[in-house]
Amino acid sequence: MIENIIERADAGFRFHTVKTDRFKMSRLSFNFILPADAERSPITRLMLATMMRGCEKYPSVVAINKKLDQLYGSTVTWRATSVGSRHTFRISCEVLSDRYRFEGDRESIVKGVCEVILEILFAPLRDENGMLCASNFESEKKLAIDAIKAKINDQKAYAAEKCKSLMLEGDPSGISVEGTVEQLEKITLKSVTENIEYFLKNSMLECYYVGSDDVSEVIDLVGERFEKIDRSSVSLLGEEKGFLREDCANLKTLDEMMNVSQCRLNVGCTSGVVMKDSDYYAMSLFNEIFGGSSVAKLFMNVRERLSLCYYCYSSYSSATGTLMIGCGIKGENREKAYTEIENQLGQMKRGNFSERDIETAKRTILSGLLQMSDSPSAIEAFKFRRFLADVNESASEVSEKIKAVSKDEIVAVAQKVRIDTVYFLCDKCRNSTH
């Protein structure tokens, strides 16, 4: 793979290319990054959802898809996500590589798809007053509200998100990109329309292409559009900081009661270790051994050995340095499960895990790095995540650093892990121990 970054300071964006002929389908993405903003982020998300429903040239989803079908069945999707204290609004395109075009068809497919995206961004569907399409806005607003309300139906995900929001309350990294139902209900068509100019001028824009095509025309096309607006010079790179609560003497706790088929115990931990830190690799291995798989300490002890839960896992965020533990339990097993989670964390801190545990964890992570090269989206995610963290390393370099981690380094990083927040979702219709 040949990698290159072309910076267009005149238009305020960078274009990252990863040239490879491994894939039949190429990937093009526009990543707009803004600081997490409790008020503006939900507006921006709703704005983008509305704009993706149609533009002047292609006034409906049907018209957009018809054009994409003509471009060899290309697809366009969008997503809003959080990365620490930043929110990313991404438009992604899956495009057939030009070398697979019909003979005689010389029009670049990726350029054609890029033109569609630029039409959506710069010529959205508006009414006679210059507002975005009201029916599209109301439809997307309802969908966004319904999606938030529906989260409660996935109680495992709901409990994990509640624990995370409780833990990060008051910190920029805890701001939701989706907002709340109350926020969304107050968003107006006017505020969403007026946000377009702010979005285009103030977002940090990172474009990515993974594939075999020559995209020089695409870069010129994007540059022609963005150089016409007065883009702010903004950099949100390397801003990751491990979350550590100042008032850490006492645990943050919350018990919530509702009709549930299974109680949920979620525990939030801090470590202060983020991707740009030298002990990030040891932290990744710590999480894998502790709760990252079905052979990890949490699963093998809390679930298998003691039968205290239906599942038990941990997940590590390299943007905030937090470790989230989740398990599904019977209400009466709450204290026993929590005690065993504490015990297993203590065992990790004392180094009570084997070299075999370390080798298994290393093989799992190394396997994931190898599999990454089989997917354009995984390659992009790897590159983009490290670029945001201002970490310059290849997958092979990460592999070597993972291989080099010692047991002492894992024990040392385990000392930094501290339980910060405990959230318990329980059945209000049963007698449970709280």
Side-chain angles (χ1 to χ4, degrees), residues 145-186:
I145 291 173
D146 290 346
I148 291 175
K149 290 180 177 179
K151 282 185 177 181
I152 200 168
N153 295 324
D154 184 350
Q155 291 158 1
K156 181 178 179 181
Y158 172 83
E161 186 168 321
K162 286 284 288 191
C163 184
K164 178 183 174 182
S165 62
L166 176 64
M167 180 176 176
L168 299 176
E169 186 178 15
D171 189 82
S173 58
I175 295 174
S176 169
V177 70
E178 299 171 335
T180 64
V181 170
E182 293 73 20
Q183 280 181 298
L184 290 172
E185 288 174 339
K186 294 176 182 178

Side-chain angles (χ1 to χ4, degrees), residues 169-387:
E169 186 178 15
D171 189 82
S173 58
I175 295 174
S176 169
V177 70
E178 299 171 335
T180 64
V181 170
E182 293 73 20
Q183 280 181 298
L184 290 172
E185 288 174 339
K186 294 176 182 178
I187 295 176
T188 64
L189 179 60
K190 184 174 184 292
S191 65
V192 165
T193 303
E194 291 176 344
N195 190 62
I196 298 175
E197 182 178 5
Y198 177 89
F199 174 74
L200 292 176
K201 285 187 175 182
N202 295 284
S203 300
M204 186 176 90
L205 174 57
E206 306 295 330
C207 300
Y208 278 78
Y209 174 78
V210 181
S212 60
D213 299 330
D214 177 2
V215 288
S216 56
E217 287 186 316
V218 173
I219 298 171
D220 290 340
L221 194 63
V222 176
E224 287 171 9
R225 289 296 187 109
F226 279 94
E227 69 182 2
K228 293 178 181 178
I229 59 178
D230 185 20
R231 295 264 296 154
S232 300
S233 178
V234 57
S235 176
L236 299 172
L237 305 180
E239 292 193 348
E240 293 165 22
K241 182 176 68 173
F243 171 78
L244 294 170
R245 190 158 52 93
E246 291 183 9
D247 179 22
C248 59
N250 300 308
L251 292 180
K252 291 180 79 171
T253 61
L254 176 65
D255 287 11
E256 185 174 0
M257 301 178 69
M258 66 172 66
N259 290 325
V260 294
S261 57
Q262 187 180 126
C263 298
R264 315 282 172 167
L265 174 64
N266 289 74
V267 180
C269 305
T270 61
S271 73
V273 179
V274 294
M275 183 176 282
K276 64 183 179 182
D277 294 327
S278 60
D279 49 0
Y280 158 72
Y281 312 97
M283 186 65 203
S284 298
L285 284 165
F286 164 86
N287 176 64
E288 188 66 30
I289 297 168
F290 180 55
S293 73
S294 59
V295 295
K297 298 303 180 183
L298 290 179
F299 190 90
M300 295 302 295
N301 289 280
V302 186
R303 184 187 188 279
E304 295 293 284
R305 181 171 63 86
L306 297 177
S307 301
L308 293 173
C309 63
Y310 303 100
Y311 65 86
C312 195
Y313 70 92
S314 68
S315 60
Y316 165 60
S317 169
S318 62
T320 58
T322 55
L323 190 84
M324 309 304 295
I325 302 166
C327 58
I329 61 176
K330 292 181 179 179
E332 60 266 25
N333 287 333
R334 174 186 180 176
E335 296 302 329
K336 291 180 181 178
Y338 179 76
T339 298
E340 186 58 25
I341 289 170
E342 281 189 309
N343 175 48
Q344 290 304 316
L345 179 56
Q347 295 290 340
M348 291 293 295
K349 292 184 177 186
R350 290 188 289 274
N352 291 333
F353 53 93
S354 67
E355 289 294 336
R356 183 177 179 181
D357 292 328
I358 299 172
E359 289 306 312
T360 299
K362 286 183 177 181
R363 283 197 301 270
T364 300
I365 293 177
L366 295 174
S367 176
L369 288 168
L370 285 173
Q371 291 175 14
M372 178 200 73
S373 62
D374 294 330
S375 165
S377 60
I379 292 172
E380 181 203 342
F382 177 89
K383 301 295 182 184
F384 176 65
R385 181 67 192 85
R386 277 156 180 77
F387 184 79

Side-chain angles (χ1 to χ4, degrees), residues 279 282 348-349 406-417:
D279 49 0
M348 291 293 295
K349 292 184 177 186
S406 67
K407 181 174 182 177
D408 286 345
E409 289 173 308
I410 298 172
V411 173
V413 83
Q415 307 301 318
K416 298 182 179 184
V417 179

